[in-house]
Amino acid sequence: MDKHPIVDIVVFGSQGDLSKRKLIPALFQLFLKGVLSPHNRIVAITRHTIDQTILLEAFRASTIQPTTSAEHAARWPEFAQHIFPIVCDLEVAESYSALSEFLNTTQSIRIFYFSIPPNLFGTVAKLLKLKNCIHYDSRVVVEKPLGHDFKSAEITNATLAQTFPEDKTFRIDHYLGKETVQNIMALRFANTILEPLWCADRIDYIQITVAETVPVGNRAGYYERTGALRDMVQNHLLQLLCIVAMEPPARLTPYAVRDEKLKVLHSLRPILSHDVVEKTVRGQYCDLQGVGPSYRNEPGVAEDSDTETFVALKAQVDNWRWAGMPIYLRTGKCLKQRRSEIVIQFKEVPHDLFSNTRSMSANRLTILLQPEESIRLRLNGKSPGKGMNLEPLMLNLDSGNRANRKSWEAYERLLLDVIQGDLTLFMRRTDIEAAWQWIDPIIEGWQSRGHQSLPYTAGSWGPVESDQLLAQDSHIWHNPDSL
Ligand code: BG6
């Protein structure tokens, strides 16, 4: 593999939010880190003619932040020389001529980033092929929503496959680019001490929470058709579940890692319509006092909308390692804290030697992804002084030098992987479809059982029924304020 392969990155939807907030800033960071070839070109596809200075100024404004150092900001003009705007009406074949001419002046690897609505994927891919923009190494990058259900995901994937083979298709789930998510693999598979404990015999339950404080805001148009289950669980939470629950892959190759993740998706116990009441909770943020945000008051939301902005559910992985152990998933908007974490709750000691002390708690491994990254293990130790009293001891696995080293943004890592052709952190067609096959029956169950979204106060941890979901098993959600 070339150290710095030469690529042309063609961004469709270059004036959109994703391009301005994530892609261009991530490419700038990669440029600053010296990991890009100086011969790379970034093509910003615009629908209408736009003055190059205005376009570059918009990119600069979203990339250079008040926190950017003067030294880095001074390098923007050098980076901006690599950006070339090209006008293209995505649905008109002739419109692709300028792009084709531009690309065919070199034999560089081509990366087409589709930051456009999925209903345009097929047309754009077809016209790229027709207009001779696709060559021996042309890759496509797409993001969610990849389908609305299994059927539509199958169609989207099949449409893309007519132009781009699977090994040239990079489906992004930005959660897989997060530093801590990859660290979970290192923690599990580069150490021997955890692996024997990583099973239902030793672990009582696992919780995966992705909590946001923000409301839906101006995304209601998208969100009304989507809801939290499709927006977050089908992709981000299930991908986290896979990384936590998968078997050790034989190699760190895209095929081996993704095969193991797929086995987890296939082992998920279906939640059928008769299970939805017992195993799932839907919620919608509201404001009982009429002062805070309420989903139904967001612009573009129907006043009787039942779309869920919160979901909690109990999943189970039916295999030898995890049989019988619950994995609780929870996500929502307008919750009390922004917090994404994975909690591995170990079992209680089999025999309590210290029954005269009330402070002993079972061991717990808390993997925090956001707002900070940390991995902490709770143990029990003796309180100093007289008597045999216990107290919790926290082992911070991120202490020392690591905390001072800045980790890479998810998009930096993922874009560099696309440039280097490494598919390990991207989802395969089969993964997306298997995830939908598990999600679809839940949505069908909600519809057939009339399982409605329950109101929860913005700024809380969701509806109380979410606590009851765990209480049925005598469990509780991890309280971030406790150890
Ligand atoms: C996106 C969802 O995929 O992830 C958003 O569409 C959500 O609704 C976002 O806010 C959360 O990402 P992060 O990285 O901020 O946790």
PDB file of all heavy atoms in Angstrom, residues 79-105:
ATOM      1  N   PHE A  79      -3.857  24.573   1.885  1.00  0.00           N
ATOM      2  CA  PHE A  79      -4.835  23.475   1.787  1.00  0.00           C
ATOM      3  C   PHE A  79      -5.905  23.804   0.740  1.00  0.00           C
ATOM      4  O   PHE A  79      -6.279  22.956  -0.078  1.00  0.00           O
ATOM      5  CB  PHE A  79      -5.473  23.248   3.160  1.00  0.00           C
ATOM      6  CG  PHE A  79      -6.630  22.280   3.146  1.00  0.00           C
ATOM      7  CD1 PHE A  79      -6.418  20.909   3.050  1.00  0.00           C
ATOM      8  CD2 PHE A  79      -7.949  22.736   3.222  1.00  0.00           C
ATOM      9  CE1 PHE A  79      -7.480  20.009   3.030  1.00  0.00           C
ATOM     10  CE2 PHE A  79      -9.017  21.849   3.198  1.00  0.00           C
ATOM     11  CZ  PHE A  79      -8.786  20.480   3.103  1.00  0.00           C
ATOM     12  N   ALA A  80      -6.360  25.074   0.773  1.00  0.00           N
ATOM     13  CA  ALA A  80      -7.478  25.468  -0.099  1.00  0.00           C
ATOM     14  C   ALA A  80      -7.118  25.357  -1.583  1.00  0.00           C
ATOM     15  O   ALA A  80      -7.997  25.199  -2.429  1.00  0.00           O
ATOM     16  CB  ALA A  80      -7.926  26.892   0.247  1.00  0.00           C
ATOM     17  N   GLN A  81      -5.830  25.389  -1.883  1.00  0.00           N
ATOM     18  CA  GLN A  81      -5.413  25.232  -3.291  1.00  0.00           C
ATOM     19  C   GLN A  81      -5.806  23.875  -3.861  1.00  0.00           C
ATOM     20  O   GLN A  81      -5.837  23.680  -5.068  1.00  0.00           O
ATOM     21  CB  GLN A  81      -3.887  25.319  -3.398  1.00  0.00           C
ATOM     22  CG  GLN A  81      -3.341  26.699  -3.278  1.00  0.00           C
ATOM     23  CD  GLN A  81      -1.817  26.634  -3.200  1.00  0.00           C
ATOM     24  OE1 GLN A  81      -1.203  25.614  -3.476  1.00  0.00           O
ATOM     25  NE2 GLN A  81      -1.232  27.748  -2.813  1.00  0.00           N
ATOM     26  N   HIS A  82      -6.082  22.917  -2.966  1.00  0.00           N
ATOM     27  CA  HIS A  82      -6.438  21.569  -3.424  1.00  0.00           C
ATOM     28  C   HIS A  82      -7.935  21.425  -3.673  1.00  0.00           C
ATOM     29  O   HIS A  82      -8.397  20.354  -4.031  1.00  0.00           O
ATOM     30  CB  HIS A  82      -6.024  20.531  -2.373  1.00  0.00           C
ATOM     31  CG  HIS A  82      -4.547  20.478  -2.136  1.00  0.00           C
ATOM     32  ND1 HIS A  82      -3.720  19.616  -2.796  1.00  0.00           N
ATOM     33  CD2 HIS A  82      -3.748  21.225  -1.344  1.00  0.00           C
ATOM     34  CE1 HIS A  82      -2.478  19.807  -2.401  1.00  0.00           C
ATOM     35  NE2 HIS A  82      -2.470  20.781  -1.518  1.00  0.00           N
ATOM     36  N   ILE A  83      -8.719  22.496  -3.418  1.00  0.00           N
ATOM     37  CA  ILE A  83     -10.182  22.382  -3.563  1.00  0.00           C
ATOM     38  C   ILE A  83     -10.616  22.977  -4.899  1.00  0.00           C
ATOM     39  O   ILE A  83     -10.288  24.133  -5.206  1.00  0.00           O
ATOM     40  CB  ILE A  83     -10.911  23.106  -2.403  1.00  0.00           C
ATOM     41  CG1 ILE A  83     -10.431  22.554  -1.059  1.00  0.00           C
ATOM     42  CG2 ILE A  83     -12.428  22.950  -2.532  1.00  0.00           C
ATOM     43  CD1 ILE A  83     -11.063  23.221   0.157  1.00  0.00           C
ATOM     44  N   PHE A  84     -11.356  22.194  -5.662  1.00  0.00           N
ATOM     45  CA  PHE A  84     -11.798  22.639  -6.991  1.00  0.00           C
ATOM     46  C   PHE A  84     -13.312  22.536  -7.083  1.00  0.00           C
ATOM     47  O   PHE A  84     -13.848  21.422  -7.073  1.00  0.00           O
ATOM     48  CB  PHE A  84     -11.179  21.752  -8.082  1.00  0.00           C
ATOM     49  CG  PHE A  84      -9.685  21.753  -8.051  1.00  0.00           C
ATOM     50  CD1 PHE A  84      -8.990  20.869  -7.214  1.00  0.00           C
ATOM     51  CD2 PHE A  84      -8.962  22.638  -8.832  1.00  0.00           C
ATOM     52  CE1 PHE A  84      -7.613  20.867  -7.170  1.00  0.00           C
ATOM     53  CE2 PHE A  84      -7.571  22.643  -8.790  1.00  0.00           C
ATOM     54  CZ  PHE A  84      -6.895  21.754  -7.955  1.00  0.00           C
ATOM     55  N   PRO A  85     -14.045  23.651  -7.161  1.00  0.00           N
ATOM     56  CA  PRO A  85     -15.495  23.546  -7.325  1.00  0.00           C
ATOM     57  C   PRO A  85     -15.847  23.165  -8.758  1.00  0.00           C
ATOM     58  O   PRO A  85     -15.228  23.654  -9.706  1.00  0.00           O
ATOM     59  CB  PRO A  85     -16.005  24.950  -7.003  1.00  0.00           C
ATOM     60  CG  PRO A  85     -14.819  25.821  -6.848  1.00  0.00           C
ATOM     61  CD  PRO A  85     -13.578  25.028  -7.028  1.00  0.00           C
ATOM     62  N   ILE A  86     -16.818  22.278  -8.911  1.00  0.00           N
ATOM     63  CA  ILE A  86     -17.322  21.930 -10.245  1.00  0.00           C
ATOM     64  C   ILE A  86     -18.849  21.903 -10.155  1.00  0.00           C
ATOM     65  O   ILE A  86     -19.402  21.295  -9.234  1.00  0.00           O
ATOM     66  CB  ILE A  86     -16.780  20.564 -10.718  1.00  0.00           C
ATOM     67  CG1 ILE A  86     -15.276  20.690 -11.015  1.00  0.00           C
ATOM     68  CG2 ILE A  86     -17.526  20.066 -11.949  1.00  0.00           C
ATOM     69  CD1 ILE A  86     -14.632  19.464 -11.622  1.00  0.00           C
ATOM     70  N   VAL A  87     -19.496  22.554 -11.123  1.00  0.00           N
ATOM     71  CA  VAL A  87     -20.964  22.587 -11.108  1.00  0.00           C
ATOM     72  C   VAL A  87     -21.487  21.322 -11.773  1.00  0.00           C
ATOM     73  O   VAL A  87     -20.977  20.892 -12.803  1.00  0.00           O
ATOM     74  CB  VAL A  87     -21.483  23.818 -11.897  1.00  0.00           C
ATOM     75  CG1 VAL A  87     -23.007  23.891 -11.837  1.00  0.00           C
ATOM     76  CG2 VAL A  87     -20.873  25.091 -11.354  1.00  0.00           C
ATOM     77  N   CYS A  88     -22.524  20.734 -11.164  1.00  0.00           N
ATOM     78  CA  CYS A  88     -23.112  19.532 -11.769  1.00  0.00           C
ATOM     79  C   CYS A  88     -24.567  19.423 -11.319  1.00  0.00           C
ATOM     80  O   CYS A  88     -24.854  19.450 -10.120  1.00  0.00           O
ATOM     81  CB  CYS A  88     -22.313  18.313 -11.317  1.00  0.00           C
ATOM     82  SG  CYS A  88     -22.939  16.762 -11.943  1.00  0.00           S
ATOM     83  N   ASP A  89     -25.456  19.314 -12.290  1.00  0.00           N
ATOM     84  CA  ASP A  89     -26.853  19.040 -11.961  1.00  0.00           C
ATOM     85  C   ASP A  89     -26.966  17.522 -11.875  1.00  0.00           C
ATOM     86  O   ASP A  89     -26.844  16.818 -12.888  1.00  0.00           O
ATOM     87  CB  ASP A  89     -27.754  19.611 -13.067  1.00  0.00           C
ATOM     88  CG  ASP A  89     -29.229  19.392 -12.739  1.00  0.00           C
ATOM     89  OD1 ASP A  89     -29.513  18.482 -11.938  1.00  0.00           O
ATOM     90  OD2 ASP A  89     -30.065  20.123 -13.291  1.00  0.00           O
ATOM     91  N   LEU A  90     -27.179  17.015 -10.700  1.00  0.00           N
ATOM     92  CA  LEU A  90     -27.004  15.582 -10.445  1.00  0.00           C
ATOM     93  C   LEU A  90     -27.864  14.683 -11.317  1.00  0.00           C
ATOM     94  O   LEU A  90     -27.539  13.522 -11.545  1.00  0.00           O
ATOM     95  CB  LEU A  90     -27.285  15.274  -8.970  1.00  0.00           C
ATOM     96  CG  LEU A  90     -26.463  16.056  -7.946  1.00  0.00           C
ATOM     97  CD1 LEU A  90     -26.663  15.495  -6.555  1.00  0.00           C
ATOM     98  CD2 LEU A  90     -24.993  16.052  -8.305  1.00  0.00           C
ATOM     99  N   GLU A  91     -28.985  15.214 -11.826  1.00  0.00           N
ATOM    100  CA  GLU A  91     -29.888  14.331 -12.565  1.00  0.00           C
ATOM    101  C   GLU A  91     -29.765  14.489 -14.085  1.00  0.00           C
ATOM    102  O   GLU A  91     -30.550  13.920 -14.825  1.00  0.00           O
ATOM    103  CB  GLU A  91     -31.325  14.581 -12.102  1.00  0.00           C
ATOM    104  CG  GLU A  91     -31.468  14.135 -10.646  1.00  0.00           C
ATOM    105  CD  GLU A  91     -32.815  14.428 -10.044  1.00  0.00           C
ATOM    106  OE1 GLU A  91     -32.990  15.541  -9.524  1.00  0.00           O
ATOM    107  OE2 GLU A  91     -33.670  13.553 -10.114  1.00  0.00           O
ATOM    108  N   VAL A  92     -28.764  15.263 -14.526  1.00  0.00           N
ATOM    109  CA  VAL A  92     -28.628  15.511 -15.960  1.00  0.00           C
ATOM    110  C   VAL A  92     -27.274  14.990 -16.455  1.00  0.00           C
ATOM    111  O   VAL A  92     -26.214  15.465 -16.015  1.00  0.00           O
ATOM    112  CB  VAL A  92     -28.730  17.039 -16.244  1.00  0.00           C
ATOM    113  CG1 VAL A  92     -28.586  17.339 -17.723  1.00  0.00           C
ATOM    114  CG2 VAL A  92     -30.051  17.576 -15.697  1.00  0.00           C
ATOM    115  N   ALA A  93     -27.306  14.017 -17.340  1.00  0.00           N
ATOM    116  CA  ALA A  93     -26.078  13.341 -17.781  1.00  0.00           C
ATOM    117  C   ALA A  93     -25.031  14.327 -18.315  1.00  0.00           C
ATOM    118  O   ALA A  93     -23.866  14.284 -17.920  1.00  0.00           O
ATOM    119  CB  ALA A  93     -26.416  12.297 -18.832  1.00  0.00           C
ATOM    120  N   GLU A  94     -25.459  15.235 -19.187  1.00  0.00           N
ATOM    121  CA  GLU A  94     -24.489  16.149 -19.824  1.00  0.00           C
ATOM    122  C   GLU A  94     -23.735  16.967 -18.784  1.00  0.00           C
ATOM    123  O   GLU A  94     -22.611  17.408 -18.991  1.00  0.00           O
ATOM    124  CB  GLU A  94     -25.175  17.157 -20.781  1.00  0.00           C
ATOM    125  CG  GLU A  94     -25.861  16.535 -21.994  1.00  0.00           C
ATOM    126  CD  GLU A  94     -27.109  15.777 -21.576  1.00  0.00           C
ATOM    127  OE1 GLU A  94     -27.944  16.376 -20.899  1.00  0.00           O
ATOM    128  OE2 GLU A  94     -27.228  14.572 -21.905  1.00  0.00           O
ATOM    129  N   SER A  95     -24.403  17.168 -17.670  1.00  0.00           N
ATOM    130  CA  SER A  95     -23.846  18.009 -16.629  1.00  0.00           C
ATOM    131  C   SER A  95     -22.563  17.408 -16.024  1.00  0.00           C
ATOM    132  O   SER A  95     -21.806  18.094 -15.355  1.00  0.00           O
ATOM    133  CB  SER A  95     -24.929  18.161 -15.572  1.00  0.00           C
ATOM    134  OG  SER A  95     -24.702  19.205 -14.758  1.00  0.00           O
ATOM    135  N   TYR A  96     -22.334  16.103 -16.260  1.00  0.00           N
ATOM    136  CA  TYR A  96     -21.174  15.435 -15.656  1.00  0.00           C
ATOM    137  C   TYR A  96     -19.901  15.575 -16.511  1.00  0.00           C
ATOM    138  O   TYR A  96     -18.845  15.091 -16.128  1.00  0.00           O
ATOM    139  CB  TYR A  96     -21.473  13.939 -15.445  1.00  0.00           C
ATOM    140  CG  TYR A  96     -22.415  13.657 -14.293  1.00  0.00           C
ATOM    141  CD1 TYR A  96     -23.761  13.985 -14.368  1.00  0.00           C
ATOM    142  CD2 TYR A  96     -21.973  13.058 -13.116  1.00  0.00           C
ATOM    143  CE1 TYR A  96     -24.632  13.731 -13.328  1.00  0.00           C
ATOM    144  CE2 TYR A  96     -22.840  12.790 -12.057  1.00  0.00           C
ATOM    145  CZ  TYR A  96     -24.166  13.135 -12.170  1.00  0.00           C
ATOM    146  OH  TYR A  96     -25.029  12.874 -11.125  1.00  0.00           O
ATOM    147  N   SER A  97     -20.031  16.236 -17.680  1.00  0.00           N
ATOM    148  CA  SER A  97     -18.881  16.285 -18.588  1.00  0.00           C
ATOM    149  C   SER A  97     -17.679  16.979 -17.960  1.00  0.00           C
ATOM    150  O   SER A  97     -16.544  16.504 -18.066  1.00  0.00           O
ATOM    151  CB  SER A  97     -19.267  17.005 -19.886  1.00  0.00           C
ATOM    152  OG  SER A  97     -20.347  16.326 -20.459  1.00  0.00           O
ATOM    153  N   ALA A  98     -17.927  18.095 -17.283  1.00  0.00           N
ATOM    154  CA  ALA A  98     -16.808  18.845 -16.701  1.00  0.00           C
ATOM    155  C   ALA A  98     -16.092  17.988 -15.653  1.00  0.00           C
ATOM    156  O   ALA A  98     -14.854  17.945 -15.607  1.00  0.00           O
ATOM    157  CB  ALA A  98     -17.331  20.136 -16.066  1.00  0.00           C
ATOM    158  N   LEU A  99     -16.882  17.263 -14.857  1.00  0.00           N
ATOM    159  CA  LEU A  99     -16.289  16.407 -13.824  1.00  0.00           C
ATOM    160  C   LEU A  99     -15.455  15.305 -14.484  1.00  0.00           C
ATOM    161  O   LEU A  99     -14.322  15.030 -14.081  1.00  0.00           O
ATOM    162  CB  LEU A  99     -17.404  15.802 -12.949  1.00  0.00           C
ATOM    163  CG  LEU A  99     -16.948  14.794 -11.902  1.00  0.00           C
ATOM    164  CD1 LEU A  99     -16.015  15.449 -10.881  1.00  0.00           C
ATOM    165  CD2 LEU A  99     -18.149  14.176 -11.168  1.00  0.00           C
ATOM    166  N   SER A 100     -16.049  14.704 -15.507  1.00  0.00           N
ATOM    167  CA  SER A 100     -15.371  13.610 -16.194  1.00  0.00           C
ATOM    168  C   SER A 100     -14.033  14.085 -16.771  1.00  0.00           C
ATOM    169  O   SER A 100     -12.996  13.437 -16.618  1.00  0.00           O
ATOM    170  CB  SER A 100     -16.302  13.087 -17.293  1.00  0.00           C
ATOM    171  OG  SER A 100     -15.651  12.115 -18.035  1.00  0.00           O
ATOM    172  N   GLU A 101     -14.077  15.232 -17.408  1.00  0.00           N
ATOM    173  CA  GLU A 101     -12.858  15.780 -18.002  1.00  0.00           C
ATOM    174  C   GLU A 101     -11.793  16.040 -16.926  1.00  0.00           C
ATOM    175  O   GLU A 101     -10.635  15.678 -17.073  1.00  0.00           O
ATOM    176  CB  GLU A 101     -13.226  17.100 -18.671  1.00  0.00           C
ATOM    177  CG  GLU A 101     -12.367  17.459 -19.851  1.00  0.00           C
ATOM    178  CD  GLU A 101     -12.970  18.686 -20.515  1.00  0.00           C
ATOM    179  OE1 GLU A 101     -14.094  18.607 -21.068  1.00  0.00           O
ATOM    180  OE2 GLU A 101     -12.324  19.733 -20.396  1.00  0.00           O
ATOM    181  N   PHE A 102     -12.256  16.615 -15.826  1.00  0.00           N
ATOM    182  CA  PHE A 102     -11.334  16.932 -14.728  1.00  0.00           C
ATOM    183  C   PHE A 102     -10.693  15.649 -14.200  1.00  0.00           C
ATOM    184  O   PHE A 102      -9.481  15.558 -14.032  1.00  0.00           O
ATOM    185  CB  PHE A 102     -12.103  17.642 -13.613  1.00  0.00           C
ATOM    186  CG  PHE A 102     -11.258  18.032 -12.438  1.00  0.00           C
ATOM    187  CD1 PHE A 102     -10.601  19.256 -12.406  1.00  0.00           C
ATOM    188  CD2 PHE A 102     -11.102  17.176 -11.351  1.00  0.00           C
ATOM    189  CE1 PHE A 102      -9.820  19.617 -11.315  1.00  0.00           C
ATOM    190  CE2 PHE A 102     -10.327  17.522 -10.259  1.00  0.00           C
ATOM    191  CZ  PHE A 102      -9.681  18.751 -10.240  1.00  0.00           C
ATOM    192  N   LEU A 103     -11.531  14.633 -13.935  1.00  0.00           N
ATOM    193  CA  LEU A 103     -11.008  13.404 -13.320  1.00  0.00           C
ATOM    194  C   LEU A 103     -10.073  12.671 -14.271  1.00  0.00           C
ATOM    195  O   LEU A 103      -9.054  12.115 -13.853  1.00  0.00           O
ATOM    196  CB  LEU A 103     -12.174  12.473 -12.923  1.00  0.00           C
ATOM    197  CG  LEU A 103     -13.064  12.966 -11.784  1.00  0.00           C
ATOM    198  CD1 LEU A 103     -14.233  12.014 -11.566  1.00  0.00           C
ATOM    199  CD2 LEU A 103     -12.262  13.093 -10.481  1.00  0.00           C
ATOM    200  N   ASN A 104     -10.412  12.676 -15.546  1.00  0.00           N
ATOM    201  CA  ASN A 104      -9.648  11.857 -16.482  1.00  0.00           C
ATOM    202  C   ASN A 104      -8.317  12.486 -16.904  1.00  0.00           C
ATOM    203  O   ASN A 104      -7.627  11.941 -17.763  1.00  0.00           O
ATOM    204  CB  ASN A 104     -10.513  11.488 -17.678  1.00  0.00           C
ATOM    205  CG  ASN A 104     -11.512  10.399 -17.265  1.00  0.00           C
ATOM    206  OD1 ASN A 104     -11.123   9.402 -16.658  1.00  0.00           O
ATOM    207  ND2 ASN A 104     -12.785  10.613 -17.527  1.00  0.00           N
ATOM    208  N   THR A 105      -7.938  13.560 -16.249  1.00  0.00           N
ATOM    209  CA  THR A 105      -6.586  14.101 -16.508  1.00  0.00           C
ATOM    210  C   THR A 105      -5.547  13.321 -15.695  1.00  0.00           C
ATOM    211  O   THR A 105      -4.351  13.499 -15.884  1.00  0.00           O
ATOM    212  CB  THR A 105      -6.485  15.593 -16.123  1.00  0.00           C
ATOM    213  OG1 THR A 105      -6.939  15.724 -14.775  1.00  0.00           O
ATOM    214  CG2 THR A 105      -7.310  16.473 -17.051  1.00  0.00           C
TER     215      THR A 105
END
